[in-house]
Amino acid sequence: MNYQELREAAWEANASLPKAGLVKWAQGNASGRDPDSGLIGIKPSGVRLDQLKVEEIVIVDPDGNVVDGDMKPSIDTASHLYVYKHRDDIHGIVHTHSPYATSFAVRGEPIRMYTTTASALFGGEIPVSDFAAIGEEDIGKEIVAKIGAGSAILMRSHGVFTIGTSPYEALKYAIYVEEEAEIVHLALLRGELQALDQPFVDEARRMYLEDYGQ
């Protein structure tokens, strides 16, 4: 994968965040890792996502050194790199402040599995991290320690992080986390809910991984 391809993959995920209502202004970020070179394309710090240009995506090496680009990478770069270093299977990370999911993060409450869709996509409750400082590896350490076999985590009093085999897949999970959080929030307004049994959740997840799609 060359720099342009890496930039385009990361840019598409970043540009999609405000369109999907997952961030405002310059909030949030997305990155992608090239499986061959190990280089990472990530959003530049403080740039509005609705104005982000493909050429502004910063290319960094696994140690965070800028190898191509004129801008400073995201403040969350160290945490993205920590996840990539400890998860060989991950090649895309998305961070949002989507309102419904972040409301669960602020309350320190995981999102339990109440719908068949979430069961298939996530395979278990979406966990909540401990508090983590911004700007170093702390967030990345919480992700690696607590996300388990899942693809999403609520960062305590902060927002949402999702992971995937590509920036596109991580974006997909970020969109579905917010949808599920909104559904659960609205349902809880009408009373207590019964979470789905784990055997049902496991079977929904198996079906999704083995049978869903083309």
Side-chain angles (χ1 to χ4, degrees), residues 31-177:
S31 71
R33 174 171 61 173
D34 176 15
D36 298 320
S37 68
L39 295 177
I40 294 97
I42 193 166
K43 170 188 175 281
S45 179
V47 174
R48 280 178 54 176
L49 288 167
D50 61 344
Q51 298 179 350
L52 180 66
K53 300 178 178 64
V54 174
E55 60 269 23
E56 292 175 331
I57 294 293
V58 186
I59 308 296
V60 300
D61 67 17
D63 295 317
N65 301 304
V66 176
V67 298
D68 197 69
D70 300 323
M71 305 185 81
K72 184 172 66 174
S74 168
I75 196 170
D76 288 321
T77 297
S79 286
H80 285 241
L81 297 180
Y82 185 91
V83 175
Y84 288 133
K85 286 178 182 178
H86 292 83
R87 290 287 301 268
D88 291 340
D89 57 321
I90 298 306
H91 298 287
I93 299 171
V94 164
H95 168 46
T96 80
H97 295 168
S98 57
Y100 284 97
T102 300
S103 74
F104 280 84
V106 168
R107 292 181 58 86
E109 296 176 357
I111 301 174
R112 300 178 69 190
M113 295 293 98
Y114 295 106
T115 71
T116 56
T117 299
S119 299
L121 286 164
F122 301 109
E125 75 172 24
I126 299 167
V128 182
S129 77
D130 291 334
F131 291 104
I134 301 171
E136 300 295 336
E137 294 182 337
D138 299 34
I139 289 173
K141 291 177 179 178
E142 282 294 304
I143 295 170
V144 171
K146 298 195 169 72
I147 203 167
S151 52
I153 185 169
L154 307 176
M155 197 58 52
R156 186 74 164 88
S157 292
H158 185 165
V160 180
F161 277 82
T162 57
I163 57 177
T165 58
S166 67
Y168 178 85
E169 186 175 59
L171 171 66
K172 176 186 74 175
Y173 287 127
I175 289 170
Y176 281 122
V177 167

